[in-house]
Amino acid sequence: MPNSSIETGKLLSTCFLKAKASPLFQPEQVLSHCLRKAEENKYNAYIKVCSEYAKTKLHQTQSKPEHPLRGIPFAVKDAFCTEGINTTMASNILRDYIPPYTATVVKKLEDAGAIMIGKTNMDEFAMGSGTIFGAFGETRNPLDETKISGGSSGGSAAAVAEESCFFSLGTDTGGSVRLPASYCGVVGFKPSYGSCSRYGMISYGSSLDTCGIFSKTVKESAIVYNTMCGTDYNDSTTKIDVTTVDLSSLESIEKDFNTGILKNTKIGIPLEYFVDELNDDIVSVWEETIKWLQDQTGAQIEYVSLPHTKYALSTYYVIATAEASSNLSRYDGLRYGNKVSKKQDLLSYYLQNRTEGFGKEVLRRIVSGTFALSVDKYDTFFKKAQQTRRLITNDFYQLLQDQGIKYLLTPCTPTPALDRDAFTKMSPVEMYVNDIFTVPSSLAGIPAISVPIEINSKGTKSKIGLQLIALDEQSCLEGATVLEKVKL
Ligand code: GLN
């Protein structure tokens, strides 16, 4: 007689398509298993687990038509509004906020029958790369508890890595899905800007904010993407020509990665990504993967240049903080946000609510963003950053469109998952350097994915994320399906 809890647990380590096809798949048991694990909250991945809500939803799915996501438990970063369920952005200022509506992307997944089991931990207002700076404590890395889970969507990455759900949602403004995915050894997909609605996703930097997906496999990310992408009349920045990904092409690559999909395909290796901060282990995984692709798939490797990419980090931190300073001005205790102040005059009231409601990093960014937008500094900072962003974007299009390079392959992060203690001792600027490889494609608004590459060094297995950048989701996910096969 098989132990049903162990068997159910095993199902969680595979993709949901395989799990569902198994005779052992019992939706109620799978859900209970996930809820138990989420409630145990071993790595503090969850801010809130919604057990009763999830059970009711599962009951309601019985009347829904079959869909690959029907009955599949998933978790959502606490940055997405969920009707009647606290949504905190991991901030004290929103600690008691209960949204009156659900974010479009979450609603689409629920409409397909996926079961939301909880809201995951993050850096406050999605500002950070460690899931250390939130009002609900830090999320530890399930692969190694002495390491950070990465951020800002660390809770969502850890939830998939610890196998308390099959997939999860995060937000990626400058790398917050790809970076924690890379640290936690899971797939992290950031679609292009505007392909998925931002309606109900609490804003950080509106021109950069993108909804992203964590999963065990690339194909799962593709299925989730197909379910939630599309034009939304509640978000005027969604594109009008969003197409879903053709899964059959991913399936044929899964069956045989050598179908010729990459034969003579140009893969660019940007020379500017060989930065001083790059760790040796990352370089060797990158180089060995390049060689693997050349040898195994016939891909044509070209060393290319993205000349303005060296300005990406500073450009990003000007634009993101400027937009954040504007977006976060609504949290004053009157219009939005907790009221702690009893002060009578308006300015003191705002000041106290905001000073006590926001954490240190958020306050720092509001100040620097306000500075970049101030009358005297606007031209030198914000306007210049906008102009530089255009040049950075043009670099990508020049390679990926004009020069026929189909992919850019880069590391996702300069180092493997950082030690928790070392990370907390870093200065803000040292922390910002962790985003060096993820912000350029965010500024350009194009798809990028982090794929875990399994390495086997002296008998010890570990994973390091490599990033694949392309101009469209179909190409990005096809390439990533090949990358998933790399074994070093
Ligand atoms: N680490 C980056 C930042 O702090 C990216 C965050 C994100 O993508 N939300 O801004």
Side-chain angles (χ1 to χ4, degrees):
M1 174 76 184
N3 179 328
S4 67
S5 162
I6 295 178
E7 295 302 332
T8 307
K10 275 192 205 149
L11 289 177
L12 260 295
S13 63
T14 158
C15 76
F16 52 71
L17 293 176
K18 280 195 194 135
K20 265 182 101 167
S22 158
L24 296 170
F25 188 90
Q26 302 287 341
E28 286 81 9
Q29 275 188 20
V30 170
L31 180 61
S32 315
H33 175 93
C34 291
L35 289 172
R36 216 178 315 118
K37 228 167 166 181
E39 270 159 7
E40 187 189 328
N41 212 6
K42 188 164 173 205
Y43 305 101
N44 199 27
Y46 290 84
I47 290 178
K48 187 178 180 69
V49 180
C50 342
S51 302
E52 288 317 308
Y53 173 87
K55 285 178 194 159
T56 312
K57 284 283 177 187
L58 182 64
H59 187 69
Q60 290 167 359
T61 58
Q62 277 153 12
S63 55
K64 288 186 190 287
E66 180 41 24
H67 183 283
L69 296 181
R70 196 177 80 169
I72 297 299
F74 75 109
V76 173
K77 184 178 185 178
D78 212 15
F80 292 89
C81 288
T82 42
E83 186 182 345
I85 299 170
N86 266 79
T87 298
T88 67
M89 210 66 180
S91 181
N92 280 324
I93 212 153
L94 282 176
R95 195 175 268 270
D96 303 320
Y97 177 55
I98 300 183
Y101 68 103
T102 296
T104 301
V105 287
V106 177
K107 186 164 184 317
K108 283 184 164 186
L109 296 171
E110 289 194 321
D111 286 349
I115 312 293
M116 186 182 74
I117 62 162
K119 306 295 292 288
T120 58
N121 204 359
M122 54 187 282
D123 284 300
E124 183 179 2
F125 273 92
M127 297 173 185
S129 43
T131 310
I132 293 263
F133 304 121
F136 297 88
E138 58 196 71
T139 298
R140 293 173 297 280
N141 190 324
L143 300 185
D144 177 349
E145 286 200 58
T146 63
K147 311 278 187 221
I148 56 169
S149 58
S152 62
S153 318
S156 287
V160 172
E162 71 170 359
E163 294 169 356
S164 59
C165 59
F166 278 101
F167 71 93
S168 61
L169 295 189
T171 63
D172 192 313
T173 303
S176 276
V177 164
R178 289 161 285 160
L179 186 144
S182 154
Y183 282 3
C184 293
V186 298
V187 171
F189 177 44
K190 178 199 92 75
S192 54
Y193 181 83
S195 58
C196 295
S197 170
R198 290 186 296 117
Y199 182 66
M201 195 173 105
I202 297 179
S203 301
Y204 162 17
S206 310
S207 75
L208 297 152
D209 291 344
T210 313
C211 164
I213 306 157
F214 294 93
S215 61
K216 280 276 172 68
T217 65
V218 174
K219 191 165 155 210
E220 282 170 302
S221 276
I223 293 169
V224 175
Y225 170 76
N226 281 355
T227 312
M228 65 182 194
C229 69
T231 315
D232 180 4
Y233 293 101
N234 286 321
D235 173 4
S236 61
T237 61
T238 46
K239 298 190 265 194
I240 49 164
D241 55 351
V242 184
T243 48
T244 53
V245 170
D246 170 18
L247 296 175
S248 63
S249 109
L250 303 191
E251 276 153 18
S252 48
I253 302 169
E254 263 186 344
K255 275 195 208 108
D256 177 9
F257 68 83
N258 224 345
T259 47
I261 180 99
L262 289 187
K263 195 158 176 60
N264 298 326
T265 299
K266 290 186 187 166
I267 301 181
I269 310 297
L271 290 166
E272 289 78 7
Y273 281 54
F274 287 92
V275 294
D276 293 345
E277 293 82 2
L278 202 52
N279 161 288
D280 291 346
D281 289 344
I282 304 267
V283 178
S284 64
V285 171
W286 191 15
E287 287 176 347
E288 283 178 48
T289 303
I290 293 170
K291 190 166 177 328
W292 186 95
L293 287 167
Q294 255 172 335
D295 296 349
Q296 304 287 326
T297 71
Q300 210 178 307
I301 302 294
E302 279 189 24
Y303 287 84
V304 295
S305 175
L306 291 161
H308 299 94
T309 223
K310 55 180 176 287
Y311 305 118
L313 204 56
S314 33
T315 302
Y316 168 82
Y317 273 96
V318 170
I319 294 175
T321 56
E323 292 183 5
S325 76
S326 163
N327 278 325
L328 271 56
S329 66
R330 73 191 73 171
Y331 307 105
D332 53 24
L334 263 189
R335 291 172 298 170
Y336 284 95
N338 278 359
K339 322 171 194 340
V340 288
S341 179
K342 302 259 179 307
K343 296 259 171 28
Q344 291 302 316
D345 78 290
L346 194 62
L347 273 184
S348 319
Y349 180 80
Y350 283 168
L351 193 65
Q352 195 180 358
N353 285 333
R354 286 169 67 78
T355 313
E356 289 182 27
F358 292 128
K360 234 164 107 183
E361 181 61 21
V362 175
L363 289 171
R364 181 183 292 122
R365 296 201 190 190
I366 292 175
V367 171
S368 67
T370 307
F371 176 80
L373 289 175
S374 59
V375 178
D376 286 358
K377 304 293 170 198
Y378 184 89
D379 283 353
T380 16
F381 287 89
F382 190 66
K383 191 170 163 204
K384 187 58 91 196
Q386 296 286 27
Q387 291 165 332
T388 315
R389 179 179 189 173
R390 168 53 57 204
L391 298 174
I392 293 165
T393 307
N394 288 351
D395 283 353
F396 278 109
Y397 279 86
Q398 197 142 40
L399 288 178
L400 296 169
Q401 203 165 52
D402 306 344
Q403 290 184 31
I405 304 279
K406 189 159 179 188
Y407 296 107
L408 293 169
L409 178 72
T410 79
C412 198
T413 52
T415 63
L418 291 162
D419 209 64
R420 189 226 165 257
D421 294 334
F423 184 76
T424 49
K425 289 195 188 85
M426 284 179 164
S427 70
V429 173
E430 281 169 333
M431 284 185 194
Y432 301 163
V433 172
N434 293 315
D435 306 324
I436 197 162
F437 300 142
T438 50
V439 295
S441 46
S442 292
L443 289 164
I446 57 179
I449 188 166
S450 174
V451 179
I453 306 293
E454 221 174 86
I455 43 178
N456 198 341
S457 146
K458 298 177 200 120
T460 322
K461 280 193 181 157
S462 58
K463 289 172 182 171
I464 280 182
L466 287 187
Q467 175 177 237
L468 201 64
I469 303 170
L471 270 195
D472 61 275
E473 280 78 9
Q474 180 77 39
S475 310
C476 190
L477 293 169
E478 282 175 356
T481 310
V482 178
L483 213 51
E484 219 170 19
K485 303 280 179 196
V486 174
K487 292 256 180 314
L488 303 179

